[in-house]
Amino acid sequence: SSDSAPIRATLFPGDGIGPEIAESVKQVFKGAEVPIEWEEHYVGDQIDPRTQSFLTWESLESVRRNGVGLKGPMATPIGKGHRSLNLTLRKELNLYANVRPCYSLSGYKTRYDDVNLITIRENTEGEYSGLEHQVVRGVVESLKIITRQASLRVAEYAFHYAKTHGRERVSAIHKANIMQKTDGLFLKCCREVAEKYPEITYKEVVIDNCCMMLVKNPALFDVLVMPNLYGDIISDLCAGLIGGLGLTPSCNIGEGGIALAEAVHGSAPDIAGKNLANPTALLLSAVTMLRHLNLHDKADRIQNAILNTIAEGKYRTADLGGSSTTTDFTRAICDHL
Amino acid sequence: SSDSAPIRATLFPGDGIGPEIAESVKQVFKGAEVPIEWEEHYVGDQIDPRTQSFLTWESLESVRRNGVGLKGPMATPIGKGHRSLNLTLRKELNLYANVRPCYSLSGYKTRYDDVNLITIRENTEGEYSGLEHQVVRGVVESLKIITRQASLRVAEYAFHYAKTHGRERVSAIHKANIMQKTDGLFLKCCREVAEKYPEITYKEVVIDNCCMMLVKNPALFDVLVMPNLYGDIISDLCAGLIGGLGLTPSCNIGEGGIALAEAVHGSAPDIAGKNLANPTALLLSAVTMLRHLNLHDKADRIQNAILNTIAEGKYRTADLGGSSTTTDFTRAICDHL
Ligand SMILES: CC(C)[C@H](C(=O)O)[C@@H](O)C(=O)O
Ligand SMILES: CC(C)[C@H](C(=O)O)[C@@H](O)C(=O)O
């Protein structure tokens, strides 16, 4: 396969520890002979008028052209008058679904050893509409928007994902007992899609009850699909069950088949440049990108090397209680390939 | 103290298992010689035009007159044209703060043994405004309302609670990075109140991160205060950490010092009338009512008897893996008084 033309993918190393963990991905991909050529793009240091943000027009064009990308943590510069970089990416690239697989890692013990969840979050609307205003002094309101189009789209993605990934159950998470119209519409769309997938067991779970059940017994769930804010909350809760955002991959799916994988943890400026960062979340995100490209052999090979290195426990970065450097941990993964 | 005039308190036994667990409270209160006389009220079987719900006007008047009450689970009858009983109570009695203490019970093992949290939820506005409409076909919106008045009121309650209950830290939970105006106003109010309590450490935590930290290490938190929906979610998450809603008390605080304690679990129609229900949540809720009345000796005595009975493990209802009846468990608590 190294003879055929390489696949081009956009790489945003990002800020803080971003460049170090991106380097780790490049090393591991080289070790596994993944036929990918990276197009690297950095966040600009001034607002690009065409994106109204620090993201350059060229970088967005690169993702659109390549259809796949990988993104490290981006710290939105402080100050007013420009949008969060993460939100800008979601909006500009119409990244409508955020997919986060979350499974217990043998070798990194938490209170849970039976987590195997996929959260699928609607990523474009809901509480993230940005529509807010002051009604009178001391009274403000935010609008939560739910549309049939976006709800059907994410529901369709979730059921299709379940079917093509050997998953048996999809739970729609909601608060339709309170928000009957908005969350009610979301549920209605999920039900419509569920009917097309009779082989998948479909359930509806109220978000408060869902959180209680997740911490009691995460094995009750399989694939979870939900509106934007609930997805934000529940995907982080699930990450907490297995150790945190440093260990969980994430992939954003856009219209036209775009996939932008990303590490959702922060840029950790305190340890940036010190060769201390844990590249696991970015590496596992890169694996989801490979799966999106149907490079399952490469994906399996890299994923197993990562999981086996962590399970072996000889090389561990400080966040997991070890003292390995990023480069040593990366080398250990390459040795496990 | 049994010589002085008894304190009158309203009791809503509620539906399903409600009457059985309310009977348990009456027994334990009798055993502990609590100087309370119950005024019992049931949910009506038709809509009372003065409350626009199945709650009778007399029952609401009773709570207003007595200032304290205890409520079992109420199942809102299915059908349209009337409001949820729980929401009606919150609205009619202006129950602005919902307080849920949540602590690990020795004797009932979960994955966590170090939980000691108080969630304080704004109970009147936010995502529960009931304001929703269809903008065009396939596009619906819900309004989240945050007011300065309600935010200051619940923040004041939280800090006062922390101070008077020997708590050291208050965390305000929010998503102001996305809902800058609504959650931003909530935070601004919390900050204003925090300044009046320099002895309390004040922190602000984004809700997604809060949920991740709660499942990783609940000891990071002490008192948490938040808008309505976040409180709904996080209080259930916290309950899950220690075993579920069957074990956690709840108390609603209203303007003018009203306190309506309630078991927040469901009415469990499947086991109703079978002497199988666990009365712990209602009993511990009744204890919070006693504390509100400053009957701390009685409250301590009853709380210890409940916790010791559970810790001893000889009498346990089915939900906790035992085979005791409600009456046997209740008798055991009385024996521990
Ligand atoms: C940083 C923040 C705006 C973002 C969100 O709320 O979506 C983050 O929490 C995430 O989950 O990617
Ligand atoms: C039953 C429901 C309306 C209610 C709520 O959402 O507040 C419940 O979850 C609660 O926490 O009391």
Side-chain angles (χ1 to χ4, degrees):
Chain A
S1 75
S2 49
D3 296 336
S4 56
I7 298 160
R8 299 186 70 85
T10 308
L11 178 63
F12 293 97
D15 302 309
I17 58 172
E20 294 160 84
I21 60 179
E23 183 57 36
S24 170
V25 172
K26 288 192 261 178
Q27 294 298 331
V28 174
F29 271 43
K30 199 179 284 174
E33 293 173 11
V34 180
I36 277 191
E37 200 164 282
W38 296 109
E39 262 178 45
E40 254 178 72
H41 284 275
Y42 279 84
V43 176
D45 54 9
Q46 49 188 358
I47 292 182
D48 185 321
R50 288 164 301 176
T51 66
Q52 288 176 54
S53 89
F54 288 81
L55 290 165
T56 64
W57 181 254
E58 289 73 26
S59 68
L60 298 184
E61 277 302 300
S62 166
V63 183
R64 287 197 193 97
R65 194 174 50 239
N66 296 327
V68 283
L70 179 67
K71 171 189 164 294
M74 289 181 184
T76 296
I78 293 163
K80 284 186 179 172
H82 52 81
R83 296 187 289 170
S84 139
L85 299 179
N86 289 312
L87 298 187
T88 304
L89 275 170
R90 289 178 204 165
K91 190 134 197 162
E92 292 293 326
L93 300 173
N94 206 353
L95 300 172
Y96 66 85
N98 178 254
V99 184
R100 297 206 201 162
C102 190
Y103 41 83
S104 298
L105 299 174
S106 64
Y108 187 66
K109 226 180 124 48
T110 69
R111 303 180 202 238
Y112 300 82
D113 56 13
D114 51 354
V115 180
N116 186 359
L117 300 163
I118 309 285
T119 61
I120 298 184
R121 162 184 182 184
E122 201 292 320
N123 221 10
T124 66
E125 56 179 30
E127 307 77 359
Y128 285 64
S129 71
L131 299 168
E132 295 189 290
H133 71 280
Q134 176 172 305
V135 183
V136 295
R137 230 180 121 81
V139 179
V140 284
E141 62 184 31
S142 301
L143 266 64
K144 164 171 166 171
I145 310 284
I146 299 283
T147 68
R148 179 169 163 78
Q149 189 238 343
S151 303
L152 283 175
R153 183 171 62 174
V154 75
E156 184 61 61
Y157 186 83
F159 279 91
H160 183 259
Y161 184 100
K163 185 174 176 169
T164 54
H165 289 71
R167 299 273 174 168
E168 287 168 7
R169 290 167 293 145
V170 171
S171 305
I173 313 305
H174 68 95
K175 189 80 194 178
N177 48 342
I178 294 300
M179 282 162 280
Q180 297 175 0
K181 293 198 178 160
T182 48
D183 285 6
L185 175 57
F186 183 80
L187 286 185
K188 190 168 173 290
C189 293
C190 289
R191 273 174 221 156
E192 273 180 49
V193 175
E195 284 190 5
K196 299 197 290 168
Y197 292 84
E199 67 278 33
I200 307 281
T201 305
Y202 172 64
K203 284 223 171 72
E204 295 171 356
V205 186
V206 182
I207 178 154
D208 45 341
N209 191 32
C210 175
C211 290
M212 185 171 72
M213 297 193 339
L214 275 172
V215 301
K216 285 184 75 169
N217 185 7
L220 291 171
F221 295 95
D222 187 347
V223 175
L224 300 94
V225 62
M226 54 225 138
N228 212 338
L229 182 67
Y230 309 155
D232 181 51
I233 294 170
I234 286 188
S235 60
D236 271 30
L237 188 165
C238 291
L241 300 176
I242 65 119
L245 293 181
L247 298 170
T248 45
S250 165
C251 190
N252 298 287
I253 305 297
E255 286 287 8
I258 282 184
L260 181 64
E262 64 171 334
V264 284
H265 56 65
S267 59
D270 49 321
I271 59 160
K274 295 188 177 152
N275 200 13
L276 292 173
N278 182 353
T280 301
L282 193 64
L283 280 164
L284 290 175
S285 298
V287 167
T288 68
M289 192 190 86
L290 294 179
R291 297 205 184 281
H292 188 82
L293 291 166
N294 278 316
L295 296 174
H296 291 290
D297 288 352
K298 300 290 184 193
D300 289 341
R301 197 170 157 207
I302 294 175
Q303 183 167 345
N304 289 335
I306 300 165
L307 300 186
N308 290 336
T309 304
I310 295 172
E312 196 185 66
K314 211 166 132 196
Y315 293 94
R316 267 192 194 169
T317 46
D319 57 317
L320 301 186
S323 60
S324 299
T325 59
T326 310
T327 43
D328 283 348
F329 179 68
T330 303
R331 201 170 307 116
I333 294 170
C334 289
D335 291 345
H336 277 86
L337 279 169
Chain B
S1 74
S2 47
D3 295 337
S4 56
I7 299 160
R8 299 185 70 83
T10 309
L11 178 63
F12 294 96
D15 302 308
I17 57 172
E20 295 161 83
I21 59 178
E23 183 57 36
S24 170
V25 172
K26 289 192 260 178
Q27 295 299 332
V28 174
F29 270 43
K30 198 180 284 173
E33 293 171 11
V34 180
I36 277 190
E37 201 164 281
W38 296 108
E39 262 177 47
E40 255 178 71
H41 285 275
Y42 279 83
V43 176
D45 54 9
Q46 49 188 358
I47 292 181
D48 185 321
R50 288 165 299 177
T51 66
Q52 288 175 52
S53 89
F54 289 82
L55 290 165
T56 65
W57 182 254
E58 289 73 26
S59 68
L60 297 184
E61 277 300 300
S62 167
V63 184
R64 289 198 191 97
R65 193 172 53 239
N66 295 328
V68 283
L70 179 67
K71 169 188 166 293
M74 289 179 182
T76 296
I78 293 162
K80 283 184 180 174
H82 52 82
R83 295 187 290 168
S84 140
L85 299 178
N86 289 313
L87 297 188
T88 304
L89 275 170
R90 289 178 204 166
K91 190 135 196 162
E92 291 293 326
L93 300 172
N94 205 354
L95 301 171
Y96 67 85
N98 178 253
V99 184
R100 298 207 201 162
C102 191
Y103 40 83
S104 298
L105 299 175
S106 63
Y108 187 67
K109 224 179 125 46
T110 69
R111 302 178 202 240
Y112 299 83
D113 56 13
D114 52 352
V115 179
N116 186 357
L117 300 164
I118 310 285
T119 61
I120 300 184
R121 163 184 180 183
E122 203 291 321
N123 222 8
T124 66
E125 56 177 31
E127 305 77 358
Y128 285 64
S129 70
L131 299 168
E132 292 188 291
H133 71 280
Q134 177 173 304
V135 184
V136 294
R137 227 179 126 77
V139 179
V140 286
E141 62 185 30
S142 301
L143 266 63
K144 164 170 167 172
I145 310 284
I146 299 284
T147 68
R148 180 170 161 78
Q149 189 237 342
S151 303
L152 283 175
R153 183 171 63 173
V154 75
E156 183 61 60
Y157 186 83
F159 278 92
H160 182 260
Y161 184 100
K163 185 175 177 168
T164 54
H165 289 72
R167 298 274 174 167
E168 286 167 7
R169 289 168 294 145
V170 172
S171 305
I173 313 304
H174 68 95
K175 189 78 191 177
N177 48 341
I178 295 300
M179 282 162 281
Q180 298 176 0
K181 292 198 179 160
T182 48
D183 285 6
L185 175 58
F186 183 81
L187 286 186
K188 190 168 172 290
C189 293
C190 289
R191 274 174 220 157
E192 273 180 49
V193 176
E195 283 188 6
K196 299 197 290 170
Y197 293 84
E199 68 278 31
I200 308 282
T201 305
Y202 172 65
K203 284 223 172 70
E204 295 170 356
V205 185
V206 181
I207 179 157
D208 46 341
N209 191 32
C210 175
C211 290
M212 185 172 71
M213 298 196 336
L214 276 171
V215 300
K216 284 184 75 169
N217 184 7
L220 291 171
F221 294 95
D222 186 348
V223 176
L224 299 94
V225 61
M226 54 227 137
N228 211 338
L229 181 67
Y230 308 155
D232 182 50
I233 294 170
I234 287 188
S235 60
D236 272 30
L237 187 166
C238 292
L241 300 176
I242 66 120
L245 293 180
L247 299 170
T248 45
S250 165
C251 190
N252 297 288
I253 305 298
E255 286 288 7
I258 282 183
L260 182 65
E262 64 170 335
V264 283
H265 56 65
S267 60
D270 49 321
I271 59 161
K274 296 188 176 154
N275 200 13
L276 293 173
N278 181 354
T280 301
L282 194 64
L283 280 163
L284 290 176
S285 298
V287 168
T288 70
M289 194 191 85
L290 294 180
R291 298 205 183 280
H292 188 82
L293 291 166
N294 278 317
L295 296 174
H296 291 290
D297 287 353
K298 300 290 185 196
D300 288 341
R301 198 170 156 209
I302 294 175
Q303 183 167 345
N304 289 334
I306 300 165
L307 299 186
N308 290 337
T309 304
I310 295 172
E312 196 184 66
K314 212 167 132 193
Y315 293 93
R316 268 193 194 169
T317 46
D319 57 317
L320 302 186
S323 60
S324 299
T325 60
T326 310
T327 43
D328 284 346
F329 179 68
T330 304
R331 201 171 308 116
I333 293 170
C334 290
D335 291 344
H336 278 88
L337 280 169

